[in-house]
Amino acid sequence: MVQFRNTRRAFIRSATQKISLLALGSQAIPALAEELEPVEELLPPEGILLEQPLAKEQIIAAKKLGIALVGLGGYAGGQLAPALQETEHCYLAGIVTGTPQKAADWKTKYNIPDKNIYNYENFDQIIDNKDIDIVYVVLPNAMHCEYVIRAAKAGKHVICEKPMAITVEECDRMIAACKDAGKMLSIGYRLHFEPYNQEMMRLGTKKIFGEIKTIEAHDGMGDTNGWRLDKKLAGGGPLMDVGIYCVQGCRYTTGLEPIAVTAVEGPKTKPEKFKDVEESLDWTLEFPGGIKAHCKTSYTKNMNLLQANAEKGWFKLSPAYPYRGQQGETSEGKMNFPSVNQQARQMDDFALAILEGRATPVPGEMGRQDVKILQAIYKAMETKKRVEIV
Ligand code: NDP
């Protein structure tokens, strides 16, 4: 017995046990740094030579956090679940759905055990489920607040889709709930993990073409339907849904926060359809240093542009915001970056942030700031006055 324990196999086995300790779920995560420190404890007695003792990084790499998707609609089914087949640090462990047929289909398709399938009524029982470390809320915008808070109260880390919520007050409650629970909150801002958009951040914030003077940011869809046309569920029209990417683009390209906004609602070419929300909207964000960002969004016109015009040249993405197929160019030539799975990168980074005990680059506070700006844009649209963003 003693002989057996004094082998490299035994060492690896005991290290594996240590990893499965970490696999106990989110409860174990805050203590992760402590858990990882004494790897030396696992070293075999002197005289046994190890070729490659497990490092902290290797232990982290061996752990995959379980994600439960809440709301199995177009984005969860079309993008997130497929991306979770490519992730290295997290996997699709559970689902929360109000549609029994989807529960049955996803169970088969993604091999999800019954004990990890919830509906909106029994969702809070997820507190007892050690397989689920992260809850990813992919519901209509007005439902984000309730489900993020319920997830935090169930002791889970949370990813919430954009827009974070429909009011700043909701964002505050979501941030507070996660903080109180000692859990991390991240927003589904996939473009922060996309190389062309990362290049816009670099060119802008490092002032590679000098000071930015103006920005053009346009994001529009040719058509939409369902809850996106219902203000109660969506919080607004295309501004909430896709115009938010223009706000994001301006913020991460300049690295600055807008100080004021003016806005003009576009004409309603389909008043029956757009009874509740704007059909299109143009707005101008003012940034420190006199930078002006001219932005447009629409539910009846396809648009997809992020362009910065600076002292010594320009740089732009067109399209800028899709799931794939970004194209970029500067006044000096074409950009050339690899195509990546944005959602896989985004979710892997959040899992790693939890495992490594570091902050996420796309936290709840970033989502709150966008909601604050969106609210100011609507106020400017309604009052037809310049609104300061404080
Ligand atoms: P869908 O309408 O396709 O799906 C939403 C799902 O939410 C439904 O399928 C349903 O799932 C559930 N749901 C629960 N209650 C309701 C309700 N009252 N009305 C409608 N659906 C309900 O929306 P999307 O997947 O396109 O969008 C979901 C969220 O993801 C939004 O916040 C959106 O902004 C965001 N999103 C983000 C994208 C990105 O690129 N980051 C891209 C697309 C969307 P079930 O049947 O399982 O209960």
Side-chain angles (χ1 to χ4, degrees), residues 184 348-350 352-361:
M184 286 176 62
D348 262 345
D349 186 79
F350 188 55
L352 271 181
I354 294 166
L355 289 166
E356 293 170 357
R358 65 164 163 86
T360 162

Side-chain angles (χ1 to χ4, degrees), residues 58-362:
Q58 290 172 295
I59 294 178
I60 285 176
K63 167 81 175 129
K64 274 194 167 195
L65 299 185
I67 293 193
L69 296 176
V70 186
L72 308 182
Y75 193 53
Q79 304 302 322
L80 298 177
L84 282 164
Q85 311 312 304
E86 294 184 27
T87 40
E88 286 175 36
H89 304 289
C90 51
Y91 72 103
L92 180 57
I95 49 175
V96 184
T97 176
T99 311
Q101 188 57 50
K102 289 186 195 169
D105 294 346
W106 281 58
K107 173 186 154 142
T108 315
K109 186 168 183 189
Y110 293 111
N111 200 20
I112 297 170
D114 285 329
K115 70 180 180 61
N116 292 359
I117 300 177
Y118 297 86
N119 57 44
Y120 301 118
E121 286 71 44
N122 67 17
F123 168 62
D124 308 275
Q125 292 170 16
I126 210 163
I127 191 171
D128 298 318
N129 195 325
K130 299 279 183 253
D131 292 351
I132 312 294
D133 303 287
I134 300 168
V135 165
Y136 195 151
V137 177
V138 207
L139 293 162
N141 307 341
M143 299 174 74
H144 292 179
C145 179
E146 175 187 342
Y147 283 85
V148 166
I149 292 173
R150 284 170 71 179
K153 285 191 171 155
K156 306 301 177 186
H157 300 282
V158 192
I159 310 176
C160 175
E161 258 315 316
K162 46 57 57 177
M164 178 171 171
I166 60 172
T167 66
V168 175
E169 180 270 332
E170 284 186 342
C171 297
D172 285 337
R173 287 197 283 125
M174 294 155 83
I175 291 169
C178 293
K179 199 171 164 209
D180 289 350
K183 298 293 151 188
M184 286 176 62
L185 171 60
S186 157
I187 309 301
Y189 286 136
R190 55 185 169 76
L191 293 172
H192 283 252
F193 305 92
E194 193 284 317
Y196 285 88
N197 280 273
Q198 288 173 330
E199 178 66 353
M200 291 298 280
M201 297 174 201
R202 187 186 75 85
L203 294 173
T205 58
K206 303 261 184 239
K207 303 189 196 299
I208 303 297
F209 291 93
E211 298 289 344
I212 294 174
K213 297 291 179 195
T214 61
I215 293 183
E216 292 288 328
H218 309 166
D219 194 359
M221 308 202 293
D223 196 13
T224 196
N225 53 40
W227 62 265
R228 285 179 165 82
L229 297 172
D230 178 351
K231 192 171 180 187
K232 277 195 300 304
L233 280 172
L239 178 64
M240 298 297 280
D241 195 33
V242 288
I244 187 172
Y245 286 109
C246 302
V247 171
Q248 269 278 301
C250 295
R251 290 180 65 204
Y252 57 64
T253 302
T254 59
L256 299 170
E257 296 304 336
I259 51 179
V261 61
T262 50
V264 181
E265 183 175 3
K268 288 199 178 177
T269 63
K270 295 181 178 170
E272 279 311 299
K273 185 167 181 175
F274 297 100
K275 280 196 289 278
D276 224 15
V277 299
E278 79 278 6
E279 178 182 322
S280 64
L281 179 61
D282 292 9
W283 72 100
T284 300
L285 291 169
E286 298 170 27
F287 286 83
I291 303 169
K292 290 219 165 136
H294 305 290
C295 307
K296 290 176 191 287
T297 189
S298 170
Y299 268 158
T300 43
K301 187 177 174 195
N302 285 310
M303 299 181 278
N304 215 306
L305 170 75
L306 178 59
Q307 171 155 356
N309 304 304
E311 288 168 318
K312 294 184 275 175
W314 50 265
F315 43 109
K316 76 169 186 184
L317 303 184
S318 179
Y321 317 106
Y323 303 143
R324 54 195 70 82
Q326 271 77 2
Q327 296 207 26
E329 199 177 347
T330 77
S331 41
E332 292 179 359
K334 284 214 179 307
M335 297 182 195
N336 187 11
F337 294 102
S339 173
V340 301
N341 186 321
Q342 300 168 25
Q343 289 86 357
R345 280 188 160 202
Q346 170 214 322
M347 291 186 280
D348 262 345
D349 186 79
F350 188 55
L352 271 181
I354 294 166
L355 289 166
E356 293 170 357
R358 65 164 163 86
T360 162
V362 287

